[in-house]
């Protein structure tokens, strides 16, 4: 178990999909427009949300390897992709589906990415992608990833990396103290060494540019209205729990902040998407 529940990933999926930066997604689509096939590796794939969002914009024949160390999430991914498909063509070790004009092969692979991605990109990989993943990894891990991708001249397309910006409506007097503490928690070790948290996109950008890559970044903030009250409540509860673990804010302030923000009328959480490629 990774600590990311299938329920939480399902709650966020509709907002994740509508928040992705459309311009950058278009750029990616254009980049592969001349190809009929594409082989991808999705890092920290969870329940397969990134595949469901991206597949419509990529070549008609796609081959995905969904990588995660949480086998329960990978099992849920198989179910959700089956439900999402128009037709199941094959369902054994490889799941093969039809969705619109896309024929999609999917492999579900359990790996601890803290060990690096080298073996995952040795052969038959044309794009590495990830969603809501990079703020978990360390600066050192990002440096290694950039080198590994450059060695194989591979592009990276990653979306929804937390950028540190948060605005809750209506505001609360403890917002800044809570955010500062949350950022401390973001920097804690999530299995890869001290996490990059909101610095991840900048680290990816500078790492790739130093290796001669073109890099483009687009913002992809969540703007969550009270129509998604379950997501707002889960987000406030998760943030409060993270802050509690730091011991930096007194319990009464946390409880008052949570009581108010559980039913916030709007919440904005900053994210960034990044596409890095070699010309
Ligand atoms: C925030 S979730 C994002 C999931 C999915 N990409 C999405 O957009 O819904 C982060 C994912 O990274 C995975 N993860 C975290 N650490 C990992 C590791 N060391 N190796 C492999 N997967 C990991 C978690 O299991 C989880 O599925």
């Amino acid at each position: 178990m990774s600590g990311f529940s299938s329920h939480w990933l399902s709650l966020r999926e509709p907002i994740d999909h509508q928040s992705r930066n459309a311009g950058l997604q278009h750029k990616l689509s254009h980049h592969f427009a001349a190809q009929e096939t594409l082989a991808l590796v999705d890092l920290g794939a969870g329940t397969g949300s990134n595949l469901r969002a991206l597949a419509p914009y990529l070549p008609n024949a796609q081959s995905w390897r969904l990588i995660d160390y949480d086998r329960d999430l990978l099992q849920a991914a198989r179910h959700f992709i089956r439900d999402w498909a128009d037709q199941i063509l094959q369902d054994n070790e490889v799941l093969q589906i039809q969705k619109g004009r896309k024929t999609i092969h999917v492999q579900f692979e359990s790996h601890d990415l803290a060990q690096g991605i080298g073996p995952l990109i040795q052969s038959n990989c044309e794009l590495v992608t990830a969603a809501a993943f990079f703020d978990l990894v360390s600066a050192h891990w990002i440096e290694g990833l950039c080198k590994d991708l450059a060695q194989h001249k591979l592009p990276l397309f990653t979306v929804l990396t937390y950028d540190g910006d948060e605005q809750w409506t209506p505001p609360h007097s403890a917002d800044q103290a809570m955010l500062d503490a949350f950022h401390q928690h973001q920097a804690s070790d999530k299995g890869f060494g001290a996490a990059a948290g909101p610095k991840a996109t900048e680290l990816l950008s500078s790492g790739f540019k130093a290796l001669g890559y073109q890099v483009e970044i687009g913002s992809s903030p969540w703007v969550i209205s009270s129509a998604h009250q379950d997501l707002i409540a889960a987000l406030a509860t998760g943030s409060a729990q993270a802050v509690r673990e730091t011991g930096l804010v007194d319990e009464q302030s946390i409880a008052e902040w949570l009581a108010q923000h559980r039913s916030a009328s709007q919440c904005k959480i900053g994210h960034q998407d990044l596409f890095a490629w070699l010309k």
Side-chain angles (χ1 to χ4, degrees), residues 1-5 8-10 12-13 16-17 20 42-52 67-71 73-74 109-115 130-137 141 159-160 190-192:
M1 273 291 294
S2 64
F4 294 96
S5 71
W8 164 247
L9 297 181
S10 295
R12 55 178 291 170
E13 182 162 337
D16 275 348
H17 286 195
R20 288 164 167 254
D42 185 13
L43 307 177
T47 57
S49 170
N50 195 26
L51 180 154
R52 287 184 289 280
I67 314 295
D68 207 289
Y69 67 173
D70 187 324
R71 291 174 191 270
L73 292 181
L74 289 175
E109 299 182 34
S110 172
H111 292 287
D112 180 358
L113 289 166
Q115 308 304 318
F133 174 70
F134 274 98
D135 35 53
L136 301 175
V137 306
W141 195 87
V159 298
L160 299 157
K190 311 288 189 315
F192 296 84

Side-chain angles (χ1 to χ4, degrees), residues 74-83 85 87-98 104-108:
L74 289 175
Q75 209 173 356
R78 181 183 282 269
H79 288 301
F80 292 162
I81 293 167
R82 284 179 54 113
D83 288 349
Q87 203 186 339
I88 315 275
L89 304 172
Q90 179 187 332
D91 189 4
N92 39 44
E93 201 180 326
V94 176
L95 175 66
Q96 189 183 351
I97 60 153
Q98 191 73 35
I104 307 172
H105 282 74
V106 196
Q107 281 171 275
F108 304 86

Side-chain angles (χ1 to χ4, degrees), residues 35 69 114 192 209 216 238 257 268:
Q35 293 188 205
Y69 67 173
F192 296 84
K209 281 181 180 165
E216 244 182 70
W257 182 93
K268 192 172 169 197

